[in-house]
Amino acid sequence: MLLIIHGVVVGILTILGILFLNGKGSFLIAGYNTASKAEKEKIDEKKLCRYMGKLMLLLAGSFLVIMLSDILNEMWILWLGLALVFVIVIGGIIYINTGDRLKK
């Protein structure tokens, strides 16, 4: 049962990653879709989508590591996968919010 849940999460993250890499789906990005029109005009939507696509694929990979821990029944692999998720999310937030990477 847990493998099915992990597989669904990996599948959803992969689909979102591919969607975002193609420059589509910006309405799914929470901070962007609630921004005012003036704020949206300052942001390069394609760059934002491509960045989120890469982030989603990295997260899918880390959830594959977590899924592997369930298959092999090894706790240290689970902790490795969770650490990857933590590093990817925190690192991604810091990276995207420092500098003017998404400005037009």
Side-chain angles (χ1 to χ4, degrees), residues 23 55 82 85 99:
L55 192 68
L82 291 173
V85 170

Side-chain angles (χ1 to χ4, degrees), residues 1 7-8 35 37 42 44-46 54 65 71-72 75 83:
M1 180 64 174
V8 168
K37 188 168 181 127
K42 298 176 189 174
D44 188 342
E45 185 177 336
K46 290 278 187 190
K54 293 172 188 175
V65 172
I71 293 170
L72 299 177
M75 201 62 171

Side-chain angles (χ1 to χ4, degrees), residues 38-68:
E39 290 176 8
K40 284 183 181 179
E41 289 175 0
K42 298 176 189 174
I43 296 172
D44 188 342
E45 185 177 336
K46 290 278 187 190
K47 282 184 185 177
L48 175 64
C49 284
R50 290 192 51 80
Y51 177 77
M52 289 304 295
K54 293 172 188 175
L55 192 68
M56 291 296 118
L57 291 177
L58 285 172
L59 287 172
S62 63
F63 274 97
L64 274 175
V65 172
I66 293 172
M67 188 173 165
L68 181 65

Side-chain angles (χ1 to χ4, degrees), residues 51 55 86-96:
Y51 177 77
L55 192 68
F86 181 76
V87 168
I88 290 168
V89 170
I90 298 300
I93 290 170
I94 291 171
Y95 178 80
I96 203 68

Side-chain angles (χ1 to χ4, degrees), residues 16-44:
L16 284 174
I18 292 168
L19 179 74
F20 288 144
L21 280 176
N22 288 322
K24 298 179 178 151
S26 63
F27 66 93
L28 295 171
I29 302 171
Y32 184 73
N33 73 2
T34 58
S36 67
K37 188 168 181 127
E39 290 176 8
K40 284 183 181 179
E41 289 175 0
K42 298 176 189 174
I43 296 172
D44 188 342

